[in-house]
């Protein structure tokens, strides 16, 4: 069993309070961490390469949905495209980009979500 670092837990809780609450039909997504090395070779990627991969990624993790997301039954007759906790596909550069404590987030319109994926590993923008 590992010891719980109370100070780290406090900091994490404080950081979580700083996440924006999506309003209307917006979806808050987290950009997953990009690998800092190239595959099996173990070569370290330049910082610019890592940054470009983060900016152009098409894989996002849904953190929160606004209260009106997917409520319009005429636009979404089969229901929501995604839910909190899903990995989704959206266009590269889509949404409003935010950097919170070194982690990139994006606010997207609900209709910007194009697919849900169970396992996003290996998915890259072509």
């Amino acid at each position: 069993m590992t010891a719980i670092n109370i100070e780290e837990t406090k900091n994490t809780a404080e950081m979580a309070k700083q996440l924006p609450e999506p309003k209307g039909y917006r979806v808050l997504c987290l950009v997953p961490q990009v690998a800092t090395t190239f595959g099996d070779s173990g070569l370290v990627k330049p910082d610019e390469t890592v940054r470009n991969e983060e900016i152009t990624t098409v894989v996002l993790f849904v953190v929160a949905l606004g209260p009106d997301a997917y409520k319009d039954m005429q636009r979404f007759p089969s229901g929501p495209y995604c839910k909190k906790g899903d990995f989704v596909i959206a266009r590269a550069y889509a949404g409003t980009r935010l950097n919170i404590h070194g982690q990139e987030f994006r606010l997207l319109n609900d209709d910007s979500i194009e697919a849900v994926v169970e396992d996003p590993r290996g998915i890259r923008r072509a």
Side-chain angles (χ1 to χ4, degrees):
M1 185 176 244
T2 59
I4 296 174
N5 182 336
I6 305 252
E7 207 49 45
E8 186 176 310
T9 303
K10 262 196 216 173
N11 290 341
T12 302
E14 287 301 313
M15 287 170 33
K17 288 180 188 175
Q18 294 178 341
L19 290 180
E21 180 183 333
K23 298 297 182 182
Y25 52 86
R26 304 291 195 274
V27 179
L28 178 64
C29 296
L30 170 72
V31 174
Q33 295 275 323
V34 173
T36 57
T37 59
F38 289 103
D40 296 334
S41 71
L43 292 173
V44 176
K45 294 178 184 177
D47 290 341
E48 187 174 335
T49 300
V50 172
R51 179 167 156 64
N52 286 339
E53 286 182 21
E54 287 176 345
I55 291 171
T56 63
T57 189
V58 294
V59 176
L60 303 168
F61 180 77
V62 178
V63 176
L65 299 162
D68 299 327
Y70 304 115
K71 297 293 187 205
D72 186 341
M73 292 311 293
Q74 288 186 353
R75 292 182 69 211
F76 308 106
S78 59
Y81 291 176
C82 65
K83 64 184 180 314
K84 181 179 176 178
D86 282 345
F87 281 99
V88 296
I89 304 292
R91 292 183 180 270
Y93 306 106
T96 302
R97 295 177 51 224
L98 309 163
N99 192 307
I100 304 170
H101 295 288
Q103 185 65 49
E104 184 170 332
F105 291 82
R106 298 209 190 142
L107 273 170
L108 299 159
N109 294 342
D110 56 4
D111 61 357
S112 295
I113 304 299
E114 297 184 356
V116 174
V117 292
E118 189 173 319
D119 185 356
R121 292 176 288 191
I123 296 176
R124 305 248 185 288
R125 180 174 173 252

